[in-house]
Amino acid sequence: MSVASFDNATFRRVLGHYPTGVCIVTAVEADGMPVGMVVGSFTSVSLDPPLVAFFPAKSSGSWPRIQAVGKFCVNVLASDQLPLCRQVAGPGPDKFAGLSHRVSANGSPILDDVVAWIDCTLDAVHEAGDHYIALGRVIALEVDRPGSPLLFFQGNYGEFALLQ
């Protein structure tokens, strides 16, 4: 195993040149309390079976709560939903205060006005350094509001523009 020839700041700076979409992963705990976390590390994995993945930090306070539920919904944020992103990413016990949503057939919150949602059951969790790889088996999904997604790039938020 070779030793890295760079520091954490260099790693973040270089990887920051790759844009990521911004999603909110939601679930409802046994007591009926909704829980959510913002992720910028969501990806499709497999068509057969239909699998997706995201990568929660081991330091996350929300991830163990979502993992314990065993099912979740990935909400793909629209470019005009930065305030929603900041609300759920911020500290506080009730990140859902004032948030409008409906409940998926699987029981997870689908946030209003998102670009798309992907409802999943937790398929597997693998350790990966200071993060986990959370695999979700897709049970339902839909595009609610076709449009520009919220993106994270070089430490800032923005939106996608099509080239003509």
Side-chain angles (χ1 to χ4, degrees):
M1 184 169 163
S2 63
V3 176
S5 62
F6 51 84
D7 60 16
N8 289 349
T10 300
F11 186 82
R12 285 180 161 221
R13 180 180 55 79
V14 171
L15 276 275
H17 282 74
Y18 183 72
T20 61
V22 182
C23 302
I24 296 177
V25 177
T26 60
V28 174
E29 295 178 288
D31 64 1
M33 179 66 73
V35 59
M37 65 184 293
V38 174
V39 299
S41 58
F42 171 73
T43 189
S44 62
V45 175
S46 169
L47 288 173
D48 186 18
L51 297 172
V52 296
F54 66 97
F55 309 94
K58 287 184 176 178
S59 62
S60 170
S62 299
W63 167 241
R65 296 168 61 197
I66 293 170
Q67 183 179 15
V69 173
K71 54 188 176 180
F72 57 87
C73 187
V74 178
N75 294 264
V76 179
L77 297 186
S79 61
D80 62 355
Q81 292 184 307
L82 182 56
L84 170 61
C85 173
R86 288 190 170 140
Q87 179 173 339
V88 175
D94 190 4
K95 297 179 181 193
F96 282 77
L99 292 187
S100 179
H101 67 277
R102 66 188 189 276
V103 178
S104 73
N106 201 30
S108 299
I110 300 172
L111 303 173
D112 285 356
D113 297 322
V114 294
V115 171
W117 54 269
I118 303 98
D119 207 20
C120 304
T121 57
L122 187 59
D123 193 71
V125 178
H126 303 281
E127 289 198 31
D130 58 2
H131 282 67
Y132 295 105
I133 300 169
L135 286 171
R137 186 174 296 257
V138 179
I139 60 165
L141 69 168
E142 192 57 68
V143 174
D144 270 4
R145 181 168 60 129
S148 184
L150 183 61
L151 299 177
F152 189 74
F153 179 67
Q154 294 183 351
N156 294 295
Y157 293 93
E159 63 184 296
F160 180 75
L162 291 173
L163 297 176
Q164 300 298 322

